[in-house]
């Protein structure tokens, strides 16, 4: 369902957005909870590229989470520095704000896809 049309009905659009938000959050949970075995010799070249990309991305995201949770450090104080990533929660909140406006939804999806530089690599790997 990667290239589905945006629903005309506001109720259907709301359901699609909710489904996307849940999917983004599940994907982030899986990304962070999976041990990416990049040295596994049984992986095909395509799976190895995916595992390497996912492993690097999850490592960077864990590092960011650890840095922002350090004592005396708020995520607001590092927002300017960490411009390379939005959390799944932030992405879902951004998508949820455009319910009912399919044009704005498409712009937000395009913005998230281009802003989150790791996403095309995961999809392409």
């Amino acid at each position: 369902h990667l290239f589905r049309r945006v629903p005309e009905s506001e109720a259907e659009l709301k359901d699609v957005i909710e489904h996307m938000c849940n999917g983004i959050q599940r994907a982030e949970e899986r990304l962070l909870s999976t041990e990416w075995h990049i040295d596994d010799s049984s992986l095909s070249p395509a799976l190895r590229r995916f595992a390497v990309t996912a492993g690097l991305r999850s490592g960077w995201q864990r590092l960011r989470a650890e840095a922002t949770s350090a004592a005396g450090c708020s995520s607001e104080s590092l927002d300017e520095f960490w411009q390379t990533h939005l959390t799944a929660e932030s992405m879902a909140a951004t998508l949820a704000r455009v319910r009912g406006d399919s044009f704005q939804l498409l712009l937000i999806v395009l913005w998230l896809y281009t802003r989150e530089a790791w996403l095309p690599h995961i999809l392409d790997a």
Side-chain angles (χ1 to χ4, degrees):
H1 299 285
L2 189 58
F3 299 107
R4 287 179 40 183
R5 293 184 52 85
V6 175
E8 298 292 326
S9 150
E10 191 170 327
E12 283 181 283
L13 182 59
K14 181 182 175 189
D15 290 343
V16 167
I17 291 172
E18 186 173 327
H19 181 74
M20 287 188 310
C21 291
N22 290 336
I24 289 169
Q25 291 172 326
R26 283 192 319 269
E28 182 179 67
E29 289 169 10
R30 168 108 11 120
L31 178 73
L32 296 175
S33 66
T34 300
E35 184 66 37
W36 301 100
H37 301 285
I38 60 174
D39 297 326
D40 184 350
S41 62
S42 67
L43 293 177
S44 70
L47 282 176
R48 183 179 314 279
R49 285 192 307 271
F50 179 84
V52 167
T53 303
L56 290 170
R57 181 65 213 166
S58 64
W60 169 249
Q61 198 166 335
R62 281 190 208 103
L63 178 65
R64 179 187 189 272
E66 290 168 10
T68 57
S69 68
C73 185
S74 70
S75 63
E76 295 84 28
S77 67
L78 291 175
D79 278 346
E80 192 68 29
F81 178 74
W82 297 106
Q83 284 297 313
T84 58
H85 174 69
L86 288 175
T87 63
E89 183 179 338
S90 296
M91 287 187 226
T94 302
L95 286 167
R97 283 195 298 267
V98 297
R99 291 177 195 251
D101 187 340
S102 58
F103 183 72
Q104 285 294 320
L105 173 65
L106 293 173
L107 288 177
I108 293 294
V109 168
L110 179 61
W111 174 74
L112 287 172
Y113 185 78
T114 57
R115 184 187 187 287
E116 294 298 306
W118 62 274
L119 186 58
H121 298 294
I122 293 290
L123 293 176
D124 289 343

